């Protein structure tokens, strides 16, 4: 029998669905789009169905992804982007979700999702109802599985209970239900339905008045948990520790020294957000100039956290709005709770930086804090006062103006272990719990104490010396230090007291003295309870990948293997023909400049590095240098058709001595420009990149573009040139360009269109872009899990950049268990020589990256100017082993499941608090 239903004539919820579901045993449904279908279906009367209800619906899943965890993450992102917590906040909607959760959790309702790109959007809506007596009926029509469809919209439904019709609809359903691309609804969505059904809003005032503020209430609905991958356990551990310590007298005083690539920024930013919500004083973030907008972007995109950046002329907020400065004192009128400044503002001793010392803060965060250092690190620190650079002096002063201070660096030791003391001393100056008072051994003879910590000096065994080391400071009480807690209890020491007198030990009970001696024996206290261990938080990827989380039975981080290419001599590109000629001319120019100008090595070396990147970058630099002189400008205009009115080459920073080029230097640059300009369209590195993308590296290796590839250069002109070249060679392939400022965009068939960075990110996530060329603006804060190969077009001055680049694809959610990385270099180039020296002296350049100090940037200059012995001396100055490697890695403590928190802060309260300016 055929029945026709129109919502014009009857309400379809009562007149069709509820009526037809009476006495139903099973219900199979081809529905519409994933989010609305799954949410609204519970609003209908399907609980009366005695057996199973199965729904297949559409989703934005990618059919190329075969990893279930990746599909679950995509489903989670799609779910959260739908905004269910806002759409279903009414009591009636929450009741519907509660019923939906019960159906899903019991297994009575099963949902599978299929990528819409497999068959397009699922506009065909149909279903089969099986009754208790075995009879069946089928229907199809325009109707979606939503409340509005059944009760409000104009919809048509065609019912047919003939065997032929039922069989036809059932076959359609079974095809999709059993399809290889169909996946079950992920656990996160099911749990989140339950969470939203119980969700309640907590006013910020009430949250701040709680004795034990729930971090999940402030974190659960931030983008990092909703649309990204959340925080790893080690990240949550640090955030919780920093925030809990901030709530105590004296605040949080910590140095985060995680290995590069473990997400220090988001840990610090989340800690800052909690502190900004908890208190009313400003948050000041001090970072290298190149990272100020990276910090601002990441805080907004991951934490929904507005901030303002001081650009030297005024504040610029997260929307790009600029607040005009009325002088240096305007720096005290930050329009946001969180203000970000560059370290250069301090290092240049600006008036604005001095004004910052007049403000009091909730928290100060310093990223890449190793730049605050002494100049005489190799001298005997116990006998010589630190010759502090200006950043270190500034931090030593402003530390008194903040409740909490968080420092961060992957390399707390650059040259000498005393540098770790200098960083802890910043934290300690106003707070005795870090290093004790000014008479403490940890302050008075820092190098001696560090030598004991590192096992290079014996620990004294006299009782008086022992007690002096332990009592000042006495470690604070914590849940992880049972023995310390028992000693504090036995001595009746208040929780906020850290320095005890010398008489306390002699006056203690014999049993207490024995307990203290037992802790100190065999150096246990010095090696396991010292201030460095207590205040430095350091984890490595290797440790987290190989340590089992007892809560899950899995490692704290999923291991992603790295297969490295380009390291062997046979894989280096040859310097031949015109390129060899250009390189020799550039070397000749470098030697000329270095011979006559002290300190000219850095600038002259730059031309060698840029030729080693791409011919285009080398040509651009050679022209800029030639343009320093009037004679050079005339050469460019007459011989190379450069019109300075139309093509301003700009300037490279240089001192006046370098700028005053000699005739013979001009001649070398002229020859160099000629060679490079004639051959700019035949770049060996670009050709090799194309081969790797389209053919692989040989053997059984597949073309890298199939797996998605990110290509890095430290220079924008190289990145732009490579992206344009690849676009001209790969028809109908989107080539993304990700760079600083407004320079990002997409090349297609050689044509460039500007795009916002967020648009690039979305296109990579949705697989619209499978090849992305980026500068180091893409090496931090960008999640590229959909790409699993990486090519370094050039090697950066600071090798830690390689680890940061690798971290874009070696991260949670990576679609592949193995990522492939190719490091490109020319044989006998500066890069090649630096590579050999570093790898030969430091046991393998790849394993060493991420642990070495910034001072190795000078190695490039030494080798480029043929001073290899000096380069080796610099390397030999680095400690042979990191004294903070294994001791300072501890198993992350158990934290709450923040993402499932049912109570959440009022978003308007949070927004208003973070938008408040400094007072």
């Amino acid at each position: 029998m055929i029945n026709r239903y129109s919502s014009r004539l009857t309400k379809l919820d009562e007149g069709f669905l509820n009526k037809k579901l009476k006495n139903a045993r099973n219900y199979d449904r081809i529905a519409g789009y994933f989010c609305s279908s799954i949410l609204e279906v519970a609003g209908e009367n399907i609980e009366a169905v005695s057996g199973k209800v199965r729904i297949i619906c559409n989703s934005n899943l990618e059919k190329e992804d075969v990893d279930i965890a990746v599909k679950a993450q995509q489903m989670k992102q799609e779910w959260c982007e739908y905004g269910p917590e806002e759409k279903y906040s009414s009591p009636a909607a929450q009741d519907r979700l509660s019923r939906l959760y019960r159906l899903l959790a019991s297994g009575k309702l099963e949902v599978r999702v299929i990528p819409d790109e497999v068959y397009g959007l699922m506009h065909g809506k149909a279903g089969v109802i099986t009754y208790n007596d075995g009879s069946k009926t089928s229907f199809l029509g325009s109707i979606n599985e939503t409340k509005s469809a059944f009760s409000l919209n104009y919809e048509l439904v065609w019912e047919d209970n003939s065997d032929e019709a039922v069989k036809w609809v059932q076959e359609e359903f079974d095809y999709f239900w059993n399809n290889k691309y169909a996946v079950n609804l992920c656990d996160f969505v099911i749990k989140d339905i339950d969470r939203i059904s119980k969700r309640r809003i907590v006013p910020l005032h009430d949250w701040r008045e709680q004795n034990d503020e729930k971090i999940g209430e402030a974190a659960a609905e931030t983008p990092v948990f909703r649309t990204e991958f959340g925080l790893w356990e080690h990240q949550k551990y640090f955030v919780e520790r920093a925030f809990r310590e901030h709530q105590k007298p004296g605040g949080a005083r910590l140095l985060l020294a995680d290995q590069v690539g473990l997400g220090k920024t988001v840990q610090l930013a989340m800690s800052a957000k909690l502190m900004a919500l908890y208190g009313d004083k400003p948050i000041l973030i001090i970072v290298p100039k190149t990272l100020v907008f990276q910090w601002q972007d990441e805080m907004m995109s991951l934490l929904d956290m507005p901030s303002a950046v001081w650009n030297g002329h005024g504040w610029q907020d997260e929307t790009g709005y600029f607040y005009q400065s009325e002088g240096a004192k305007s720096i005290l009128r930050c329009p946001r709770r969180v203000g970000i400044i560059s370290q250069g503002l301090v290092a240049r001793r600006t008036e604005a930086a001095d004004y910052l010392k007049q403000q009091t803060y909730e928290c100060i965060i310093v990223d890449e804090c190793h730049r605050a250092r002494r100049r005489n690190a190799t001298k005997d620190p116990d006998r010589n006062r630190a010759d502090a650079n200006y950043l270190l002096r500034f931090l030593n002063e402003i530390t008194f103006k903040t409740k909490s201070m968080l420092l961060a660096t992957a390399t707390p030791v650059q040259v000498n272990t005393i540098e770790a003391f200098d960083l802890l001393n910043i934290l300690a100056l106003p707070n005795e719990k870090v290093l004790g008072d000014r008479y403490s051994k940890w302050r008075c003879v820092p190098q001696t104490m560090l030598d004991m910590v590192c096992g290079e000096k014996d620990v004294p065994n006299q009782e008086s010396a022992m007690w002096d080391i332990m009592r000042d400071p006495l470690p604070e009480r914590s849940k992880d230090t049972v023995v310390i807690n028992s000693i504090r209890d036995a001595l009746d020491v208040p929780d906020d007291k850290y320095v005890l007198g010398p008489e306390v030990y002699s006056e203690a009970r014999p049993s207490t003295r024995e307990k203290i001696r037992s802790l100190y024996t065999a150096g246990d206290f010095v090696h396991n309870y010292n201030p460095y261990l207590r205040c430095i938080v350091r984890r490595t990827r290797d440790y987290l990948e190989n340590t089992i989380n007892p809560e899950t039975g899995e490692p704290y981080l999923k291991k992603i293997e790295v297969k490295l290419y380009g390291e062997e001599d046979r894989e280096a590109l040859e310097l031949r023909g015109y390129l060899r000629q250009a390189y020799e001319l550039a070397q000749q120019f470098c030697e000329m400049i270095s011979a006559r100008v002290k300190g000219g090595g850095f600038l002259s070396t730059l031309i060698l590095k840029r030729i080693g990147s791409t011919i285009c970058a080398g040509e651009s630099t050679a022209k800029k240098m030639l343009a320093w002189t009037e004679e050079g400008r005339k050469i460019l205009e007459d011989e190379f058709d450069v019109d300075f009115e139309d093509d301003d080459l700009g300037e490279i920073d240089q001192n006046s001595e370098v700028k005053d080029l000699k005739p013979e230097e001009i001649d070398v640059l002229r020859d160099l420009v000629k060679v490079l300009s004639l051959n700019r369209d035949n770049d060996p590195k670009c050709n090799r990149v194309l081969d790797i993308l389209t053919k692989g590296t040989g053997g059984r290796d597949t073309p890298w573009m199939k797996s998605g590839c990110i290509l890095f250069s430290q220079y924008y002109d190289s990145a732009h040139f490579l992206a344009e070249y690849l676009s001209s060679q790969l028809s109908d392939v989107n080539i993304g360009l990700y760079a600083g400022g407004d320079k990002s965009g997409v090349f297609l068939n050689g044509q460039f269109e500007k795009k916002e960075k967020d648009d690039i990110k979305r296109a990579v996530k949705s697989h619209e872009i499978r090849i992305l060329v980026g500068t180091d603006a893409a090496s931090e804060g960008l999640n590229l899990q959909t790409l699993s190969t990486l090519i370094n077009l050039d090697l950066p001055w600071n090798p830690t950049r390689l680890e940061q680049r690798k971290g874009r694809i070696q991260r949670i959610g990576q679609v592949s268990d193995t990522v492939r990385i190719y490091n490109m270099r020319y044989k006998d180039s500066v890069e090649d020589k630096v590579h050999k020296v570093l790898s030969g002296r430091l046991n393998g350049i790849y394993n060493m990256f991420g642990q070495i100090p910034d001072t190795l940037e000078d190695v490039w200059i030494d080798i480029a100017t043929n001073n290899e012995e000096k380069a080796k001396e610099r390397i030999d100055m680095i400690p042979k082993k990191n004294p903070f490697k294994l001791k300072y890695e501890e198993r992350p403590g158990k934290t709450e499941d923040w993402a499932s928190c049912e109570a959440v802060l009022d978003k308007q309260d949070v927004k208003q608090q973070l938008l408040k300016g400094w007072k």
Side-chain angles (χ1 to χ4, degrees), residues 38 79 106 186 204 218 314 349 356 385 394 430 438 467 469 477 490 521-522 543 551 734 741 806 847 865 870 894:
I38 186 55
W79 166 261
S106 67
C186 70
L204 180 60
R349 308 186 187 189
L356 287 172
R385 291 177 60 83
F394 175 86
R438 61 194 182 100
W467 181 237
I469 289 173
R477 181 188 300 275
T521 302
Y543 176 81
E551 299 297 320
N734 287 315
K806 178 168 68 76
N847 292 327
T865 54
K870 181 65 175 177
K894 182 181 178 181

Side-chain angles (χ1 to χ4, degrees), residues 166-223:
V166 169
K167 180 183 177 184
W168 179 64
V169 175
Q170 189 67 55
E171 284 178 350
E172 290 297 306
F173 174 86
D174 290 343
Y175 175 81
F176 289 114
W177 185 260
N178 298 312
N179 194 281
K180 67 178 181 178
Y181 293 114
V183 292
N184 292 327
L185 197 65
C186 70
D187 288 342
F188 175 88
V189 173
I190 296 174
K191 290 178 181 178
D192 203 50
I193 289 171
D194 183 40
R195 183 189 76 84
I196 296 173
S197 73
K198 302 171 184 176
R199 181 177 180 266
R200 60 186 176 85
I201 304 297
V202 178
L204 180 60
H205 177 270
D206 292 353
W207 181 80
R208 294 169 73 167
E209 291 297 315
Q210 295 175 19
N211 292 327
D212 185 20
E213 291 82 354
K214 300 292 185 183
I215 295 177
E217 294 177 2
E221 293 185 355
T222 53

Side-chain angles (χ1 to χ4, degrees), residues 40-56:
E40 297 289 359
V41 71
E44 310 309 329
N45 188 21
I46 64 172
E47 289 178 293
V49 176
S50 60
K52 289 267 188 184
V53 176
R54 299 187 298 176
I55 297 177
I56 183 76

Side-chain angles (χ1 to χ4, degrees), residues 278-558:
Y278 179 75
D280 290 314
K281 292 182 180 177
I283 305 288
L284 176 64
I285 299 177
I286 307 173
V287 302
K289 182 180 179 180
T290 55
L291 299 182
V292 290
F293 289 106
Q294 176 68 47
W295 263 81
Q296 186 179 52
D297 290 345
E298 193 161 337
M299 286 194 296
M300 197 63 206
S301 62
L302 295 182
L303 302 177
D304 201 15
M305 184 176 174
S307 63
V309 168
W310 179 264
N311 66 6
H313 304 288
W315 289 101
Q316 182 175 324
D317 68 23
E318 72 287 345
T319 69
Y321 183 81
F322 178 71
Y323 298 76
Q324 187 65 44
S325 167
E326 296 176 2
K329 197 170 183 178
S330 297
I331 200 169
L332 296 178
R333 294 195 291 274
C334 178
R336 296 288 183 264
R337 176 69 61 205
V338 178
I340 307 170
I341 69 165
S342 76
Q343 291 178 359
L345 184 77
V346 176
R348 295 194 307 272
R349 308 186 187 189
T350 62
E351 185 182 4
D354 286 335
Y355 276 115
L356 287 172
K357 290 182 281 189
Q358 297 179 9
Q359 179 65 269
T360 56
Y361 304 91
E362 199 74 32
C363 180
I364 293 176
I365 293 173
V366 186
D367 196 9
E368 305 296 347
C369 64
H370 59 267
R371 298 186 179 196
R373 53 195 303 244
R374 62 174 67 195
R375 299 184 181 92
N376 58 343
T378 56
K379 295 183 179 180
D380 183 355
D382 282 350
R383 296 184 180 180
N384 297 281
R385 291 177 60 83
D387 179 17
N389 66 11
Y390 197 72
L391 179 58
L392 179 56
R393 278 186 274 165
F394 175 86
L395 296 179
N396 283 339
E397 294 176 34
I398 204 168
T399 186
F400 290 95
K401 306 290 287 185
T402 182
K403 180 179 181 181
S404 290
M405 179 170 268
L406 304 177
L407 307 179
T409 174
T411 52
V413 173
Q414 291 278 303
V415 175
N416 189 289
T417 52
I418 197 61
E419 292 167 321
F421 163 78
D422 289 336
L423 296 178
L424 249 63
N425 192 50
I426 297 170
L427 305 175
L429 286 172
N431 196 315
E432 291 182 344
K433 75 175 181 180
V434 180
L435 290 173
D437 63 20
R438 61 194 182 100
Y439 303 108
S440 163
K441 294 289 185 184
W442 298 96
R443 284 192 181 183
C444 294
V445 284
Q447 188 65 65
T448 298
M449 299 310 296
L450 274 165
D451 290 343
M452 290 183 193
V453 168
C454 297
E456 297 176 2
K457 186 171 286 190
D458 292 337
V459 177
N461 54 19
Q462 303 93 340
E463 286 198 351
S464 60
M466 169 200 76
W467 181 237
D468 281 346
I469 289 173
M470 295 181 68
R471 69 176 179 82
D472 190 1
L474 183 69
E476 64 183 322
R477 181 188 300 275
S478 81
K479 62 183 180 181
D480 301 318
T481 56
V482 176
V483 64
I484 296 296
N485 297 346
S486 66
I487 289 174
R488 279 185 163 272
D489 288 339
L491 295 175
D492 195 24
V493 180
D495 289 350
D496 59 351
K497 187 172 183 179
Y498 307 103
V499 178
L500 306 183
E503 74 287 349
V504 173
Y505 177 76
S506 60
E507 294 174 358
R509 295 174 182 176
S511 60
T512 303
R513 291 201 299 271
E514 180 56 34
K515 191 178 294 185
I516 293 171
R517 281 195 298 270
S518 297
L519 178 61
Y520 186 83
T521 302
D524 189 47
F525 179 87
V526 170
H527 294 149
N528 298 311
Y529 294 92
N530 66 74
Y532 295 90
L533 177 64
R534 299 198 303 271
C535 297
I536 295 176
V537 179
R538 176 175 176 78
R539 286 74 56 97
T540 65
R541 175 173 286 277
D542 181 68
Y543 176 81
L544 294 171
E545 287 179 341
N546 293 289
T547 303
I548 300 298
N549 182 347
E551 299 297 320
T552 63
E554 300 290 332
Y556 282 100
L557 281 184
K558 176 188 173 184

Side-chain angles (χ1 to χ4, degrees), residues 5 20 130 156 234 267 316 345 430 442 550 609 713 727 748 867 904:
Y5 298 86
K20 290 298 177 181
T130 303
L156 297 173
H234 73 278
Q267 296 178 70
Q316 182 175 324
L345 184 77
W442 298 96
K609 283 182 58 61
S713 172
S727 181
L748 180 62
N867 199 345
V904 294

